[in-house]
Amino acid sequence: MEDLRNPMLKFFSDQELCYAEIVPSAQVRARIEVSVLNFLKNLNASNPAISDLPLIQRKFCNSRVNHSLMTDLSCVFLSHSVSSRSLMRPNAAKAFVRVWKVMELCYQILLQEKRVTQRELYYKLLCDSPHLFPSQIDVNRTIQDVVALLRCSRYSLGIMASSRGLVAGRLTFQEPGKEVVDCSVCGSSAHTIPGDVNLLENLILDTDARYIIIVEKHAIFQRLAEDQFFNQIPSILVTAKGYPDMATRVLLHRIHRTFPDLPILALVDWNPAGLAILCTFKFGSVTMGLEAYRYACNVKWLGLRGHDLEMLPDESLVPLKPKDLQIAQSLMSSGILQGNYRDEVALMVQSGRRAEIEALYFHGYDYLGKYIAKKIVQSDYI
Amino acid sequence: MEFSSVQNLSLHLISSAFQRCRLSEQICRLSVILARSSSSSLRVSISDTGNGSCLEEFQGLRFSSNDDADNWDGMLSIKTTSISDTEIHNYTINLKASDSSKITRLTSNTKNGARFSGSEVCLSSFVSIDLLVAEIHQFLEKMMILSIPNVATHLVAEDCDVPGSRYEKVFLANGDKELPIPASNLDLLKSGLEDYVLRHGNTLSNKCHYCFPNWEQLKVGSGVACSIENHQHNELVMEAVIIISNMPVDNTECFRKYGDKTEVFYFKDFSPGTVSKSLMKALKGIDWKSYGLKLGGIVQQDRLALLEWENLTRDTHVDIVLHSYNKQTVIPGPRKITQTERNLVKRAVKLSLDDLKEKHAGVLLSSHAVQVRSYAPDLAKTIAGLILSSSDLNFQEECFSLLGLQSQVVGTENMENCIRERIVSVIEMNDKKPHKNKVAPSLFVDDRAQELEFEENDMEEGEDDLDLQLF
Amino acid sequence: MEFSSVQNLSLHLISSAFQRCRLSEQICRLSVILARSSSSSLRVSISDTGNGSCLEEFQGLRFSSNDDADNWDGMLSIKTTSISDTEIHNYTINLKASDSSKITRLTSNTKNGARFSGSEVCLSSFVSIDLLVAEIHQFLEKMMILSIPNVATHLVAEDCDVPGSRYEKVFLANGDKELPIPASNLDLLKSGLEDYVLRHGNTLSNKCHYCFPNWEQLKVGSGVACSIENHQHNELVMEAVIIISNMPVDNTECFRKYGDKTEVFYFKDFSPGTVSKSLMKALKGIDWKSYGLKLGGIVQQDRLALLEWENLTRDTHVDIVLHSYNKQTVIPGPRKITQTERNLVKRAVKLSLDDLKEKHAGVLLSSHAVQVRSYAPDLAKTIAGLILSSSDLNFQEECFSLLGLQSQVVGTENMENCIRERIVSVIEMNDKKPHKNKVAPSLFVDDRAQELEFEENDMEEGEDDLDLQLF
Amino acid sequence: MEGKWMSSQSQSTNFHLLAKIKEFTRSIVTDLSNGQSPVILIHRFRNHCTSPNSNCFCGFNLPCGKDVLTLCRESHVHRIDVMLRVLLIVQKLLQENRHCSKRDIYYMHPSVFSDQSVVDHAINDICVLMQCSRHNLNVVSAGKGLVMGWIRFFEGKRLFDCISSPNKVHPIPVHVEEVKDIISVAHYILVVEKESVFERLANDQFCSANHCIVITGRGYPDIPTRRFLRLLVEDLHLPAYCLVDCDPYGFDILTTYRFGSMQMAYDTKHLRVPEIQWLGAYPSDAERYFIPKQCLLSLTAEDKRKLEAMLLRCYLQRDVPQWRLELKMMLEKGVKFEIEALSVHALSFLSMSYLPSKIQGKMII
Ligand SMILES: [Mg+2]
Ligand SMILES: [Mg+2]
């Protein structure tokens, strides 16, 4: 379970993997400075030119799936295929200037040692050059461009990562020089995962848990936390309240690296979106850009799964929505799903129905815990 | 060639005389004298000191006016002699008669051994003297654009019934300019059009110092396209000259006859020609857009073609002259514009536009480059901002030196201007060689150049955020 | 009254004879004898022991067949005597003749002082005996629904050419049922329809014990609506009887002639009538929905009207009979259905539906109440849950006693059933007095909705399905 | 084990409520056994009206009418059905001292409830019927509020030690009734509409520089956030200032803090914070703080409709006429802007200039 630092994988990664690193601000500034110098050099060369910006393509066609031979770990990653932003191409000129604009702002923010939200960035840019940034979407997209150019994480650019993630259970952590936090005594409100990714990398962790359980939904998480499920089955509970944000994934990965023997189990809705959430934890996703796959963890699917439906009341199975089918389609075509996952998706599509975790409440509120415990004991996860 | 009015015939005769002068190696004189005697008939006399004329020139002429106002008998009297002739030949030609009875040879005069050449053609008609003077004047002024250097034209008009009505004017090409010797036809054409522009066309007799304090403001481009036609070693030449001039916008005194529109001058075989539909089609077919010009349409007014532009700034004016001639033909006959010629027009115009663009930075930028250039200030400001906001002095110093700036005197504006200028110049340069397709250097030295997949369509704004594309 | 076929005329004559019997206070006998003699003409003889007939009855009749098949001369021969007459009057009447020459009085027979009354009407025609027997049979069976108690009808048909072909049937009302004495017309009608339903209409001669093991399964409702017409003290009465019956669903042997559809029997003045368009309109106009019925449409088949129901359960059948008559008229003439009568139909049907609902709990619940009732199991389960999950034994005990349950034997199901029954009965009771209990359930119109301008989103948990796009 | 967070006080509340539920059940059974339809009276509450004359009683927690539910109408029966089902769940929760979210309840009978809002409505009905607050039913919100600053307290046995790192984000406790031992050295409480502004302040170390407590409800505040804020204001006697976007939503969020929401009008007295004051952003701030034109968005037709409706709310005229004036100005100017627009001058403008100038200059209404 030596993930990406496995020498064999490393060899592989050198060939193809592209990723955004978490780097200190001085380093980001240096990268920006190098960009400026290169730009000026090209501008001033004997054959003067305006440099193109080589961005790693964040497109499906540039994504690869790495099924590791040595471990169970698979991930989605972007290879070095580049899509360049050129000033000279008329429909790219705007995007080209945007990249520089955002880089300038980030540079200044890093100098001030501040962090900004994307909204603040938008307002700043709107004020400065409204014609370049008519909407927040332009800003968000350009930030991804800058990430793809400088190959450093958004967080490293001085952009705040607000985390939605929560952690509870048999985990203690300690920021260097601070008090130890015990996640098992925080009640149902649990412990908020901080957005500071640097901090997460430097936490001192300890646990006596046997399992890590990812829960898709906040409400389910709360239920388990209030019932102190983690004392029943020694475990660490993590939720990102839906699709995971970076910070949650970083923490999970951090825990996983520190305690590689703990299986990571996911409890998600039985619908394509639930599986997609699981897969985002497991493999990363293209929309997360270059930051995606570094934090891939070998997550196992605990539930809900097709064979759980038998014990659910018929009324709790609702028809699939069109969006579900789209997601299912996307999952199936990604080439990332292992066989038994594909079977589950096929079953969802074929039955035309979906079920949510809460459907287990049909058997009473305490059934949820029993269900998980039973599954764990029987090693009923894939 | 058939004429239906005395005016047109007169212009043709003048043109012919002009050609005889042009082909002579000597400095020649062409006199056009219009005199109304008391008999109230107008005597038109066209005399030149060019090569002598040959009868064939006149044999082809025909006159068939339905208009009695001319009231002309159709009789031309001709005197001519070439340098090698020993006598002066005299003829009368009846342009209304049939071919056989047309030419009457009269007794010749002896030259008494003198070596000179020249011709004189006379006719008498009741045509209006004012009208004729005006047309001949305009014709000769247009001829000036050709800048034929060895012909001096003298126009005299006198109504004997009106005392003191004598009108006289001399047309001399390139009055105050030095031209390379020997000057090519194209050089002469350029010079002639420059002269024309500087004098606001016909409206001034001298260069307008108000509008053009310095000569260099004119941006001139020229191009020549040739083609060998019919395998007869008959090389057709198309010369084009385009001048872009800028006048002060607040100038209310000087004005162009046709406003912002561009009059296209067209010469055929060294004589002003009419812009035909065919030619207009060729002009329309030019890819003006790639030069940042947007042709609104072509207006035909009198015998002129006026190009209307849609995106020209108010102070900019474009002038175009086209000259097509056969390199070998000495005495040109009537000639239709062919497909070849249309292609030549396009090529010649394009070459002169390219010439202009090459010689003058920032002129005739493609609309695409203009758009890209509009980002230059933003980009310059951003990069200057990046440099100046840095706390790393070494980095700043390095940037200054790359930009060739003294670090002591660098202000924000200074820096911005410097970067902007460079960016603009790169953009403009790129626009000049549009088909060269050189790969732009990547921002980072990249040894994986072969991996660069340029995808034209990966740039759309709609980009990669398809949210269903999860992996 | 004009007839166009011998069949119709015969039915009318039978009906008249029936009325004469009905109006007599005595037990009467009505004989219809059809005899085909070797002459191959059919002799139809209708004799009754009712009140004697009067000439006016026949005077109004007219016959105008275009159909030669009847081949009837239009002659009726009539014998009649009333109880007070001393002799039997004989007439012949030519229904094809004009009024003046119509009636021929023949010589009377003496009664020799005997006190009896009765009539006999005869005619001879070439009409088909089988056809006529079938129609008369059907007619008489329908008459049975009226259950007139003092008339016994005897139908005899014999074809003399076919040996042993004699057909004979006696129709006796209320064969095996005790009726209150004196029974009202409505009682008789109810009894008649019950009989009809129990015998599956015409298909059985006895009650079907398979479908109706006990009598009480029939749910009968009746209603009478009256109106005094034209201020002539001529009271129009409309009686309606509706029966809802349930048959075993898996019964494949017995079937209704018209399936799930309801045949509407309509009697006018104690004689079967046709359901006219006008009447159908009245039936359509009834608010069936408030009785949980959904009328799909009315089909007219032969002279019947069939109501189609949309939401009837498969085992349920509805039967309807309507009877309208003038209370005062003794010998009824033709009468059109008026608006008044339409209203009476509606009222009478509605009254009988109400009657049904009142007498039989849970029947004809309005669709609204049915909907409400569908909540009963849920409500019962929840309330039972509230009681049984309570940890307070005293409270539980109290609830048990309120519900009249022995605490020792209370199981969840027991409890649920008990509560459900009570809820259902409350709902059904409420539905019976639809206009009584209308304490405006919502005292205040829901004006709150529009005041809530903003959906407060303090409830969302930032659900997960939205943020596929993470950045 | 689940009773761990329950104090004896809430146990007695539970007992009290269970008795009420029994009483309610008994009355239904009595009616049924008498062959009568149960009649359930549910009072209606509102926290404002739109009547122009100010003699309404909207601020006094008095019911303004009632719904009479019987078994006669289908809509009523459905409402009763849902209410009883929820009540049964609530009874179990109370008996077992468990908590659950509205969402959990919804998932008990998703096809019957058909929508979350149906459950929400039923919970409100039960609260009105039992004359209690929602948390008394052991129904809790997921809790999305955040807090930081100069405060330290316990939720049950869990210590929230914000004071030790005043710029660190903490979730607002879900069980506000369990909050105790509050210690604070703050001078005021700042309530901000959104998380991004909250994070801005955290990033600017705002609480280090200013002795205050910062709270956000992340949009429309949930119940724990409002109750927590109210608790702090009551216990600590601190002034509370509210910073919201200068748009109709921002203003509505502001009024939710101060006057409560219409849905929860029955419980307004526990949920509103009448002491809260409006710090910004006012429409008039656009000029005062030189917000560039590009950052001023024009009001949409929908915005205008909302503004016009809000202007009619009785409590504005009665309690905060100055707020109403600013709101009117927003409508007149026809523009709105977000708090982030203040950051265009400098990232720290909000924390270094705007907030101090407002608080020190008493530019608070
Ligand atoms: Mg889900
Ligand atoms: Mg807002």
Side-chain angles (χ1 to χ4, degrees), chain A residues 38-39 44 51-52 54 58 60 83-85 88 90 98 100-101 107 111 131 141 284-286 326 330, chain B residues 368 378 382-383 389-390 402 422 430 441-443 453-455 458-459 461 463-464 468-471:
Chain A
N38 278 336
F39 182 85
N44 217 36
S51 332
D52 282 353
R58 302 183 304 280
F60 186 53
S83 82
S84 66
R85 294 274 184 271
M88 296 311 175
R98 281 184 192 143
W100 282 103
K101 277 264 170 230
Y107 188 74
L111 274 174
H131 53 288
R141 203 172 282 154
S285 81
V286 170
Q326 280 176 289
S330 169
Chain B
H368 157 229
D378 268 336
T382 308
I383 289 166
S389 67
S390 168
L402 276 171
R422 276 157 206 260
N430 264 8
S442 207
L443 188 61
E453 303 164 10
F454 283 100
E455 270 183 48
D458 62 358
M459 321 268 43
E461 298 291 310
E463 251 240 289
D464 42 9
L468 284 176
Q469 189 178 302
L470 292 165
F471 301 103

Side-chain angles (χ1 to χ4, degrees), chain D residues 131-156:
Chain D
Q131 293 171 302
C132 66
S133 299
R134 191 206 279 172
H135 70 271
N136 297 137
L137 304 179
N138 279 12
V139 176
V140 292
S141 303
K144 55 180 180 145
L146 302 174
V147 60
M148 65 177 171
W150 297 84
I151 186 171
R152 181 191 145 119
F153 58 90
F154 283 88
E155 180 202 22

Side-chain angles (χ1 to χ4, degrees), chain C residues 90-108:
Chain C
N90 293 314
Y91 308 91
T92 57
I93 301 185
N94 186 355
L95 295 191
K96 288 182 167 176
S98 66
D99 272 6
S100 55
S101 61
K102 209 170 183 176
I103 302 183
T104 313
R105 172 174 283 242
L106 305 178
T107 53
S108 305

